[in-house]
Amino acid sequence: MNSFLRDRSLSWERDVEFSDAELLAEAAGRICYMSFGDLQYRKSTTDYLANIIRNGHESVLEHASFTFLIDGVSRALTHQLVRHRAGFAYSQLSQQYHDESGCEFIEPEWGDDEAHLEEQWKEWAESTRSLYKAMLSSTRKLNNTELSLKEKTRGARSAARSVLPNATKTTLVITGNARAWRNMLSVRGCIPGDIEMRNYCLQIFKILRKEAPSLFSDFELLNDELGAMVKKI
């Protein structure tokens, strides 16, 4: 960027307190209009990005990306996350290659009068783990001599994972550009009936707001009778 500016006899006095993500989005926008110049003759990074967002010119936000390591969420949640394909990349723990004998489950929030359901749920969870282990052990004993031990193990896990529910805990890495994260938060951040999704969006937003506040300045945290949520202003 410095070489480019020198070659064009341009100058850009950056606001040093801003993150690389914010400055990258600003630079991309300024390239479109070649609107560089000294700080006193232009808008600050905050004002510039706010104007970009206000006018819906969010393509420049796609140059800034953020990567998260997500651990301890349910597959019910990740089934919804992977529907957001544009601008996102996902790498998730494989139930075919990873032994899930010690798998854990995300327990729902119980009401005061649901102790009987909670007990049944815990019995079901233990029964599910037992069935998984039994299937894994049984299918590993396949007498197909054409298959290697590695192939038999993979086949066993493929069969045994059929009993694992949406509640199974999982781990994944997600990379998304700022525009994609903004869309996901606006669509998923305030859904009344999905507590886990709302909590996920809440934690994501707290980090994004801290790392690049100017890119998410039009979102806010709200509280209602169901708890905290992220909402686009």
Side-chain angles (χ1 to χ4, degrees):
M1 176 59 73
N2 289 333
S3 176
F4 168 81
L5 293 171
R6 284 194 303 270
D7 291 344
R8 295 295 187 96
S9 298
L10 298 171
S11 63
W12 178 29
E13 185 179 336
R14 281 84 126 185
D15 298 324
V16 295
E17 70 270 22
F18 290 93
S19 67
D20 288 345
E22 292 165 302
L23 292 175
L24 178 57
E26 180 184 0
R30 292 192 178 282
I31 285 290
C32 295
Y33 301 96
M34 210 56 69
S35 57
F36 295 94
D38 292 332
L39 186 59
Q40 63 264 33
Y41 300 121
R42 65 174 179 81
K43 295 179 179 179
S44 68
T45 296
T46 296
D47 292 339
Y48 184 87
L49 293 174
N51 185 62
I52 286 286
I53 292 170
R54 186 166 51 250
N55 287 283
H57 299 160
E58 295 192 19
S59 63
V60 300
L61 307 185
E62 296 176 18
H63 297 286
S65 64
F66 303 85
T67 299
F68 289 84
L69 170 60
I70 309 296
D71 188 38
V73 297
S74 73
R75 280 192 166 259
L77 176 70
T78 61
H79 288 336
Q80 297 180 74
L81 294 183
V82 297
R83 294 174 185 172
H84 295 267
R85 289 304 315 176
F88 281 105
Y90 302 92
S91 297
Q92 185 169 1
L93 174 67
S94 171
Q95 292 180 334
Q96 190 174 58
Y97 291 95
H98 179 257
D99 188 338
E100 294 284 340
S101 297
C103 66
E104 298 179 79
F105 304 124
I106 300 295
E107 189 170 346
E109 296 187 16
W110 303 105
D112 295 336
D113 59 345
E114 295 179 324
H116 63 295
L117 293 178
E118 182 179 2
E119 186 61 31
Q120 290 181 53
W121 189 92
K122 290 180 178 179
E123 292 176 358
W124 159 83
E126 186 55 43
S127 174
T128 298
R129 273 188 292 266
S130 297
L131 178 57
Y132 175 90
K133 293 175 185 177
M135 292 181 66
L136 191 63
S137 175
S138 176
T139 51
R140 273 179 177 165
K141 299 175 182 178
L142 292 172
N143 292 320
N144 189 335
T145 56
E146 296 180 359
L147 296 177
S148 65
L149 177 60
K150 181 179 180 180
E151 291 170 330
K152 289 182 180 180
T153 300
R154 179 181 175 185
R157 289 174 182 160
S158 294
R161 68 177 175 170
S162 65
V163 304
L164 296 178
N166 278 344
T168 308
K169 281 187 179 182
T170 188
T171 304
L172 69 164
V173 172
I174 305 177
T175 297
N177 66 58
R179 189 182 196 181
W181 282 116
R182 286 173 51 82
N183 178 69
M184 195 277 295
L185 291 174
S186 67
V187 172
R188 301 284 185 177
C190 57
I191 298 177
D194 195 335
I195 297 175
E196 186 181 15
M197 178 61 77
R198 280 175 51 161
N199 289 337
Y200 167 83
C201 289
L202 177 65
Q203 299 306 317
I204 291 291
F205 175 65
K206 286 180 178 179
I207 296 172
L208 291 175
R209 182 177 60 176
K210 179 180 178 181
E211 293 296 321
S214 295
L215 300 182
F216 300 90
S217 60
D218 55 337
F219 286 83
E220 63 181 354
L221 294 179
L222 298 176
N223 284 280
D224 62 11
E225 65 277 5
L226 296 176
M229 63 179 175
V230 179
K231 191 173 182 65
K232 196 173 188 296
I233 301 173

